[in-house]
Amino acid sequence: MTTRRGTLRARWREALLLQGARWGTFVIALVMAGGVIQFYQPPKPLVRAPFGAEAGIFIPAAEPAPSALGKSGAVQMRFSLPGDPVSYPLEVQGDPSSLAYEWLRFGDSARADSARALAGERLVAPSEPGFYRLALVRGSVRRMVDGMTLAVLVPFEDKHGSSIDGYRIGTFLAERLGDGTERPEGFVRVTAADADVPITKHLRVGDFLTRDGQTQWPRYAAISPRVVDKLELVVAAVARTLGDSGRVPVALNVHSAFRTPLYNGYNRFARDSRHQYGDAIDVAIDANGDGRLTASDTKLVARAVDTVEGEHPDLVGGLGVYTSRKYNQPYVHIDARGIRARWRG
């Protein structure tokens, strides 16, 4: 029979054994933690390396300078012939030394030509017609410059007879006369994927395609930088009459821009229209902001054109106001021909 004293001694031995086991576990845990701490190295910070960036290489942010955006500040496209120098002023937010540049086809990451050293605002256009974006390069690091597209033109000399690549254009007056009469410098080559490329804040490449029923791609159009800049100035002048500082959105509908001589020849009243040279645009603008396009709008637009030409005499040109009921909606013709002209239709 176990005595009370014996029972207490047994419980005391069990407590000592249990306490020893706990201390042993604690010591083992300390040893293991020490090993982990000894061999542990914190993870290196993740580095984003787009386009194969090299560690330690930095390219400053850059954007088109205000002078690249035209007088209106709304131009988003520059034009050049293949391989020609093109003015592309940049604002670089950092050290521009040792930077190079390259051109990427619009919507693609493959470069079009070899990289060239960046030395001022005079760049060399790609050697093939198309739409391009600019990238700055240092080492293997590439940084895109947003806000501007370069359109490299198909030279006028590539037009054989009345067509380019099967697209029927017709014959310009300069070709018929065989002299130095005015003609487009070249044409933008437009595929179905290019139609939505922005020219300005309000205009897209597709706005300049002739509505002649031809359906094949590519198609071709002449686009004058002067007329697209002038239109944006007119829209800004209209916006100022609607609200504070011209920030009110203005709705517009492009009726016609570039018209091929072939298509234009169907109109006996406009045989040598400015539309053939890409420096005219017919547009309906909701100038009073009432959600409708009426003759009242054309009066406001005409006033805005006069204002713009007064402020920018180098953009003087034609203004035609069309309010006849034979048209689906009233509209205005605006061009930058270099001399003042006014008419109604």
Side-chain angles (χ1 to χ4, degrees):
M1 182 174 182
T2 304
T3 63
R4 178 178 178 82
R5 182 177 299 176
T7 301
L8 291 176
R9 287 177 180 175
R11 290 180 179 177
W12 177 253
R13 284 195 297 270
E14 290 176 2
L16 288 176
L17 290 173
L18 180 60
Q19 187 70 14
R22 289 175 177 174
W23 276 102
T25 302
F26 178 71
V27 171
I28 292 172
L30 285 177
V31 172
M32 292 178 64
V36 171
I37 293 173
Q38 179 180 358
F39 295 104
Y40 172 76
Q41 293 182 353
K44 295 180 179 180
L46 297 177
V47 178
R48 287 189 175 183
F51 305 107
E54 297 175 0
I57 295 181
F58 172 75
I59 296 182
E63 60 185 5
S67 59
L69 308 178
K71 299 176 185 297
S72 64
V75 174
Q76 299 175 23
M77 182 173 289
R78 301 187 78 75
F79 300 85
S80 174
L81 288 171
D84 273 8
V86 57
S87 176
Y88 198 120
L90 293 171
E91 285 191 348
V92 181
Q93 302 171 16
D95 180 14
S97 62
S98 74
L99 283 176
Y101 70 91
E102 60 188 21
W103 298 104
L104 310 180
R105 283 195 177 272
F106 196 92
D108 196 350
S109 61
R111 69 183 185 185
D113 286 332
S114 299
R116 299 174 184 265
L118 181 68
E121 66 179 54
R122 303 293 287 180
L123 310 183
V124 177
S127 57
E128 293 293 329
F131 297 98
Y132 297 88
R133 298 177 64 199
L134 180 68
L136 299 183
V137 182
R138 182 177 282 157
S140 66
V141 183
R142 175 193 294 165
R143 185 164 191 161
M144 302 301 303
V145 178
D146 295 324
M148 185 69 64
T149 302
L150 175 66
V152 178
L153 306 176
V154 175
F156 187 89
E157 291 74 18
D158 285 5
K159 176 178 174 287
H160 300 294
S162 62
S163 302
I164 301 180
D165 293 341
Y167 179 75
R168 292 174 292 126
I169 291 180
T171 306
F172 287 85
L173 182 62
E175 295 174 291
R176 296 198 300 270
L177 298 180
D179 60 11
T181 308
E182 184 180 10
R183 68 182 193 181
E185 184 178 43
F187 306 93
V188 293
R189 175 186 289 154
V190 186
T191 68
D194 299 325
D196 287 330
V197 176
I199 301 173
T200 68
K201 180 179 178 182
H202 291 92
L203 298 174
R204 299 292 180 268
V205 169
D207 292 326
F208 274 78
L209 294 177
T210 302
R211 294 164 171 81
D212 56 4
Q214 298 188 67
T215 58
Q216 77 274 16
W217 300 97
R219 303 181 199 175
Y220 293 84
I223 303 175
S224 165
R226 287 163 43 81
V227 77
V228 298
D229 200 13
K230 182 176 182 177
L231 177 66
E232 288 294 342
L233 287 167
V234 170
V235 172
V238 168
R240 286 194 295 271
T241 68
L242 295 177
D244 179 41
S245 303
R247 289 193 290 268
V248 175
V250 176
L252 59 83
N253 179 25
V254 177
H255 284 200
S256 177
F258 172 68
R259 295 204 294 256
T260 66
L262 178 64
Y263 180 76
N264 199 78
Y266 298 141
N267 184 348
R268 62 187 180 90
F269 298 108
R271 291 293 174 86
D272 197 38
S273 166
R274 298 308 308 175
H275 288 277
Q276 298 173 100
Y277 307 101
D279 72 348
I281 187 166
D282 295 345
V283 60
I285 300 176
D286 181 15
N288 58 18
D290 66 356
R292 299 180 300 142
L293 295 169
T294 65
S296 298
D297 294 307
T298 63
K299 295 178 182 179
L300 296 174
V301 174
R303 189 181 306 165
V305 170
D306 288 337
T307 298
V308 169
E309 292 188 357
E311 296 174 350
H312 305 280
D314 57 317
L315 295 179
V316 68
L319 169 65
V321 177
Y322 293 83
T323 56
S324 171
R325 291 186 177 180
K326 66 181 179 180
Y327 304 114
N328 292 331
Q329 57 186 207
Y331 69 93
V332 295
H333 165 107
I334 300 172
D335 69 52
R337 66 182 67 188
I339 58 174
R340 179 182 169 88
R342 296 291 187 270
W343 68 91
R344 299 188 67 86

